[in-house]
Amino acid sequence: MSRRNKAAAIWVFAFIILILAAAAGSGLWWWRQSLPAVAGEVKLPGLSGNVRVIRDNYGVPHIFAENLRDAGRTLGYLHAQDRFFQMDISRRVLEGRLAKIIGPDGLEFDRLFLTLDLAGSGRASFKALSPDAQAQLQAYADGVNSWLGHSGQELPLEYALLDFEPEPWRPEDAVIWGKGMAWKLSANWRQDAARAKLLTRFDRGTAERLFPLPKPDWPITLDPQLSPSKTRSTRHSPARFEPSTLARDLKAFQSLAALPSYGAGASNEWVIAGARSETGKPILANDPHLDLTIPILWYLARITTPEITITGATVPGTPHVLLGQNGHIAWGFTTTDSDVQDLFIETVDPEDPGRYLTPDGPTPFKTETRTIQVKGEEPVEFIRRETRHGPVISGALDGAGQLAAEGEFVSLAWTGLSRDDTSAEAVYRLGLARNRQEFLNAMRQFHSPTQNIAYADREGTIGFVNAGRVPIRKSGDGRYPVDGASGEFDWTGEIDFSGWPKLFDPPEGAIVNANNAVTRNDAGYWFGRDETPPYRAERILELIAEKPKHDLNSMAAIQSDIQAVHARYLLPFILKVEPGAEVEEKALKLLATWDMNADWNGPETLILDWWLRQMNVELLSSSLDPMAPVSGSLNASVVANILNEPGDFCEQANAGANCMDAVSTAFSKTIADLAKRYGDEPGQWRWGDEHVAVMENQVLDNLPGFRDLFGVSFPSDGGFYSVNRGGSIGLASPDHPLVRKSGAGFRGVYDLGDPSQSRFIIAGGQSAHPLSPHYADQLELYKRGEYIRLQIAEDELRAAGRPELRFTP
């Protein structure tokens, strides 16, 4: 090439680079236009007075308003600024309109939610709210729509990528969101379906072995027993994943069957009385465990009016502080797993396929044609059918259709489908309650999902209510699908508020729930018995008992506790294994001296949970061919139950005497698998190499290079049965089955002696915008078990130079 041509080529190359850089800069400039304005003045129609919003160092808005209605209107604007796409996509999924955005991949979700008709029951339930509660939801929606129509802020990038337009927010959308959360947190139908599948192969007694009864020493929330720790004190002491598609991420909305399915979500809550507190007043702690995504579900906010200050975790899409304190009381939630869903096998009338059999004779199905709009394809129509028990779900839920023979269908009865659900009213009133009686008045209106709600007030009262509608059955316990034609198993009513489990000021001075059993079911009503194993509750009770008095630091430390409690019950069996190779002997020596802490930088939890996963294959999959989905789950209580009381189960599973053949085989396969991945020195294996918290952005992670620039993942302490819980069941990659996909998205520790000292943190940040400094700025604090305070004086915030956004009528 001549010198002249070479120079020309250099100039052309430089020009191309310049053009690309300019394009990139232009794109970055455009993307920055979708960042919210956090200072200045905004006209917000409908306000009765001025509202001041000052954001603290972590972007948390501190709202100073003349009344709660103005504060709710302003919060709607702020939620939209930071999280509108998150709100909008959740609404569209629950309304059965996902395929219109993402194409055929959304069809299964649309068919499910159109069948359940959560949007219809949500709209009807909105009308059941008081005028005051409706007005609060309307004010919030007006605030959202003011941002949408007049803010001048560019829409989130996701709208351009998915090529659709936003729609105005409606006041009933907040109620529909509540219906969606109720579906996510209600799992009885899955348990019922799993048990029914087992009965195709085994007698009921054998099937029940896989759903173990509570042991006499398992913790019961209504009977708190503080006990010393059972921990051995012998020693103290990143994987890469491909981004998922939006449709796969949304699997969280459609629960998959498992055996037993403890789901991806869980929660902890406990409260101690003033007699156990350094301050002389109660302290309440709460950390709900749901999907770890970015943005996270939760959004911190503080609302201050002349009458009240409400502080804590909100959810974009609703105007209420769901978890938090108000200067008079504090409250927390966990899911209770009450039996509120039944599967009915409906028989089609042989003379007319448009009817089904009932005790009063054949009755027509209630039917309607539903049309699903599909992006890039023709619309899809299906017939939605409903019986007297509820919607026909045979074609909408994986696993349900397999329960019905020819000429039969499966319908779902569920309290969450009620059209007079006032749970939104209950949460609204909860935030305003100032004492025990007002708290109970609010709880009376709570319907679904059934929740365990912990309570404390500044007068020194601590309490607990198991809130929500639970059915009364004519016969049976609802644990298996039942005949719908006879009427023998119909629901006859619901347990009255007077029968809901409650506890106030117990002598032990503490109340604990970690999704464990609330009551012993001996009070005349049946609440179910598919609760989560007791391991986390057991550990929390121990840690409370270790100190005569606690402060905020020790309560926060409990939330970060990483003991693998299930190890207490499984290690004795593993340690009986005779090693067959040097690497197995080294692994056993590590386990023999382990303090049972699930430290990301140690190998022991990796060995234990990989073995537990393999034990499910050896014990369950080999003998339960129809239940293949169970393989890979971490059902510690099931495995421990079988190993402690083998009966004839081990013989059926070809697992050797007392199942020790299975224990040894699972251990050998575990060590071989891990040695292949990480080498022959178990001491160099790390739990954090597999137990990586991968916080996915549902849409943007699919952009090439996005995770390299903005991806959020980290090696994670804790495990599935730790108080600091890291779950993976049903959501993990097959290649990395122990990747962490759920955990505490929010942690709160509330000081009733001095609410200004209460602590809050979310896993991530306030903003959904990757260019925002608040996209994930709380994450480092979260990983270290640290918190932020939110009760900061307005003058102090202003003096610190924090940005202020003023809203005027």
Side-chain angles (χ1 to χ4, degrees):
M1 180 183 292
S2 69
R3 181 177 297 179
R4 178 178 296 178
N5 288 340
K6 186 175 182 179
I10 291 173
W11 276 105
V12 170
F13 181 75
F15 180 74
I16 292 172
I17 295 296
L18 183 64
I19 292 296
L20 292 174
S26 176
L28 187 63
W29 177 87
W30 172 82
W31 197 11
R32 285 189 175 277
Q33 303 313 299
S34 56
L35 285 167
V38 296
E41 186 169 299
V42 173
K43 288 196 175 296
L44 187 54
L47 289 178
S48 63
N50 294 335
V51 177
R52 306 171 305 285
V53 175
I54 306 178
R55 295 184 187 248
D56 65 19
N57 291 340
Y58 293 93
V60 178
H62 296 246
I63 304 170
F64 302 94
E66 292 303 314
N67 55 66
L68 199 60
R69 193 81 73 242
D70 283 356
R73 190 180 304 272
T74 304
L75 183 62
Y77 190 99
L78 299 174
H79 276 169
Q81 273 191 319
D82 287 324
R83 302 278 193 93
F84 185 74
F85 177 77
Q86 180 185 23
M87 298 162 56
D88 194 14
I89 195 67
S90 296
R91 169 178 60 172
R92 289 171 186 267
V93 169
L94 295 172
E95 289 181 332
R97 297 193 293 145
L98 183 61
K100 187 176 181 180
I101 299 170
I102 69 171
D105 285 346
L107 276 171
E108 63 174 309
F109 301 99
D110 289 351
R111 186 181 296 272
L112 167 64
F113 288 110
L114 288 171
T115 295
L116 295 174
D117 193 27
L118 298 185
S121 61
R123 285 189 287 269
S125 294
F126 172 78
K127 298 177 182 177
L129 304 179
S130 70
D132 187 32
Q134 289 187 15
Q136 189 69 11
L137 295 179
Q138 183 65 63
Y140 176 85
D142 290 345
V144 173
N145 294 329
S146 182
W147 171 85
L148 191 60
H150 307 293
S151 70
Q153 182 181 336
E154 290 289 342
L155 291 173
L157 177 60
E158 289 90 339
Y159 286 98
L161 295 174
L162 296 174
D163 191 26
F164 74 102
E165 293 294 324
E167 296 175 358
W169 199 256
R170 301 160 302 193
E172 60 266 31
D173 290 338
V175 184
I176 294 171
W177 177 88
K179 292 287 188 179
M181 183 54 66
W183 172 251
K184 182 177 178 64
L185 298 179
S186 301
N188 308 128
W189 78 267
R190 290 177 284 166
Q191 308 286 41
D192 298 350
R195 281 185 280 263
K197 290 177 184 178
L198 288 172
L199 291 184
T200 65
R201 180 83 181 269
F202 299 99
D203 61 75
R204 184 165 298 205
T206 302
E208 288 291 346
R209 293 297 312 279
L210 303 177
F211 299 84
L213 285 166
K215 306 298 182 185
D217 60 345
W218 282 14
I220 302 293
T221 298
L222 293 194
D223 184 22
Q225 301 291 326
L226 301 184
S227 60
S229 174
K230 303 174 185 177
T231 310
R232 297 186 305 179
S233 55
T234 54
R235 178 175 66 85
H236 299 282
S237 67
R240 181 177 179 83
F241 305 94
E242 294 301 319
S244 65
T245 65
L246 174 62
R248 197 200 77 192
D249 283 341
L250 288 169
K251 286 290 183 184
F253 283 102
Q254 183 178 10
S255 305
L256 302 177
L259 172 67
S261 175
Y262 296 122
S267 304
N268 302 316
E269 67 182 7
W270 62 93
V271 56
I272 60 171
R276 289 190 171 275
S277 164
E278 294 283 2
T279 68
K281 293 291 186 179
I283 302 176
L284 189 151
N286 183 213
D287 52 300
H289 305 169
L290 295 165
D291 305 321
L292 286 179
T293 58
I294 193 161
I296 201 70
L297 174 70
W298 307 102
Y299 182 97
L300 299 178
R302 171 191 173 197
I303 296 169
T304 298
T305 73
E307 291 78 28
I308 200 165
T309 294
I310 313 175
T311 310
T314 70
V315 171
T318 72
H320 310 307
V321 174
L322 269 68
L323 309 170
Q325 63 179 27
N326 66 11
H328 302 277
I329 73 168
W331 62 93
F333 282 55
T334 68
T335 292
T336 190
D337 296 318
S338 293
D339 197 336
V340 296
Q341 294 175 326
D342 281 353
L343 297 177
F344 286 89
I345 309 300
E346 312 285 6
T347 303
V348 176
D349 180 5
E351 304 297 325
D352 182 354
R355 301 186 300 179
Y356 66 102
L357 303 185
T358 78
D360 299 322
T363 299
F365 287 100
K366 180 182 177 181
T367 63
E368 56 182 324
T369 300
R370 291 295 183 98
T371 302
I372 303 174
Q373 301 296 325
V374 184
K375 186 175 184 178
E377 297 191 4
E378 292 297 314
V380 173
E381 289 188 349
F382 77 99
I383 304 297
R384 179 185 184 274
R385 287 183 291 185
E386 189 171 326
T387 73
R388 65 196 182 93
H389 296 118
V392 174
I393 60 171
S394 302
L397 282 172
D398 290 341
Q402 302 172 28
L403 304 176
E406 185 176 354
E408 296 178 338
F409 293 93
V410 181
S411 64
L412 173 70
W414 175 35
T415 56
L417 295 175
S418 67
R419 303 177 74 82
D420 61 347
D421 187 342
T422 55
S423 298
E425 181 98 28
V427 175
Y428 175 49
R429 300 296 172 191
L430 174 60
L432 300 176
R434 296 168 182 262
N435 53 51
R436 169 178 169 172
Q437 189 56 55
E438 291 181 6
F439 164 73
L440 289 172
N441 290 343
M443 290 302 93
R444 284 177 179 274
Q445 302 187 68
F446 200 94
H447 290 188
S448 183
T450 49
Q451 293 286 285
N452 303 309
I453 304 177
Y455 168 87
D457 64 36
R458 299 203 69 185
E459 298 303 313
T461 298
I462 65 172
F464 171 93
V465 175
N466 179 227
R469 289 179 167 178
V470 177
I472 298 173
R473 298 168 175 86
K474 185 181 295 185
S475 63
D477 58 15
R479 299 183 72 249
Y480 290 83
V482 293
D483 172 41
S486 67
E488 180 182 351
F489 305 100
D490 286 357
W491 293 1
T492 60
E494 294 167 347
I495 298 174
D496 184 75
F497 178 77
S498 63
W500 293 4
K502 307 178 192 70
L503 180 65
F504 285 90
D505 296 327
E508 291 278 3
I511 302 172
V512 173
N513 184 270
N515 312 109
N516 56 296
V518 171
T519 178
R520 301 185 192 278
N521 272 316
D522 57 2
Y525 292 116
W526 171 256
F527 289 91
R529 65 168 183 83
D530 285 328
E531 301 90 354
T532 295
Y535 304 132
R536 285 178 288 116
E538 177 182 317
R539 179 61 173 163
I540 294 166
L541 285 163
E542 291 172 1
L543 292 172
I544 292 174
E546 283 185 358
K547 294 180 57 137
K549 291 183 182 292
H550 285 267
D551 57 15
L552 291 177
N553 289 332
S554 61
M555 294 285 272
I558 296 175
Q559 288 186 327
S560 295
D561 186 77
I562 60 172
Q563 184 179 118
V565 185
H566 63 311
R568 304 174 183 181
Y569 305 97
L570 298 174
L571 276 183
F573 298 98
I574 299 177
L575 295 177
K576 293 178 183 178
V577 171
E578 291 292 333
E582 183 180 2
V583 64
E584 292 182 13
E585 184 176 359
K586 291 178 179 178
L588 286 170
K589 287 181 178 179
L590 289 169
L591 292 175
T593 58
W594 181 31
D595 63 2
M596 292 188 281
N597 282 332
D599 184 343
W600 75 267
N601 202 32
E604 296 91 350
T605 313
L606 175 60
I607 298 169
L608 173 65
D609 278 5
W610 202 280
W611 170 86
L612 177 57
R613 177 176 174 270
Q614 190 63 45
M615 274 296 287
N616 278 269
V617 176
E618 298 298 322
L619 279 182
L620 306 181
S621 183
S622 60
S623 62
L624 307 175
D625 298 333
M627 297 305 297
V630 74
S631 301
S633 296
L634 296 177
N635 300 319
S637 64
V638 173
V639 172
N641 179 57
I642 292 171
L643 293 180
N644 278 295
E645 301 173 14
D648 62 353
F649 190 93
C650 298
E651 181 181 344
Q652 291 188 52
N654 299 315
N658 300 320
C659 289
M660 282 307 298
D661 285 355
V663 172
S664 297
T665 300
F667 184 75
S668 295
K669 289 182 178 180
T670 292
I671 301 307
D673 286 348
L674 296 177
K676 184 177 180 180
R677 288 178 179 238
Y678 300 113
D680 291 333
E681 291 296 331
Q684 297 178 9
W685 301 347
R686 294 292 176 262
W687 174 227
D689 288 338
E690 288 292 335
H691 195 240
V692 179
V694 181
M695 300 180 68
E696 294 178 334
N697 185 306
Q698 292 180 339
V699 175
L700 300 183
D701 268 7
N702 297 290
L703 288 175
F706 179 85
R707 283 202 64 83
D708 294 328
L709 292 172
F710 302 105
V712 177
S713 62
F714 54 93
S716 184
D717 287 327
F720 194 72
Y721 297 108
S722 301
V723 178
N724 181 6
R725 182 178 177 274
S728 57
I729 284 182
L731 296 172
S733 158
D735 294 329
H736 297 281
L738 300 177
V739 61
R740 183 179 185 183
K741 302 292 287 186
S742 66
F746 164 76
R747 295 182 184 131
V749 183
Y750 312 119
D751 183 352
L752 277 299
D754 182 0
S756 70
Q757 298 303 309
S758 296
R759 302 177 180 185
F760 310 82
I761 198 72
I762 58 174
Q766 294 286 100
S767 176
H769 200 304
L771 296 182
S772 168
H774 306 302
Y775 183 61
D777 58 335
Q778 295 183 50
L779 191 58
E780 288 304 314
L781 295 176
Y782 171 87
K783 288 159 57 177
R784 296 195 299 265
E786 298 177 10
Y787 302 76
I788 62 176
R789 288 176 49 241
L790 295 180
Q791 297 290 94
I792 307 171
E794 182 176 2
D795 290 344
E796 184 180 345
L797 287 165
R798 193 171 285 116
R802 301 311 306 158
E804 180 173 350
L805 193 60
R806 296 178 300 279
F807 291 86
T808 61

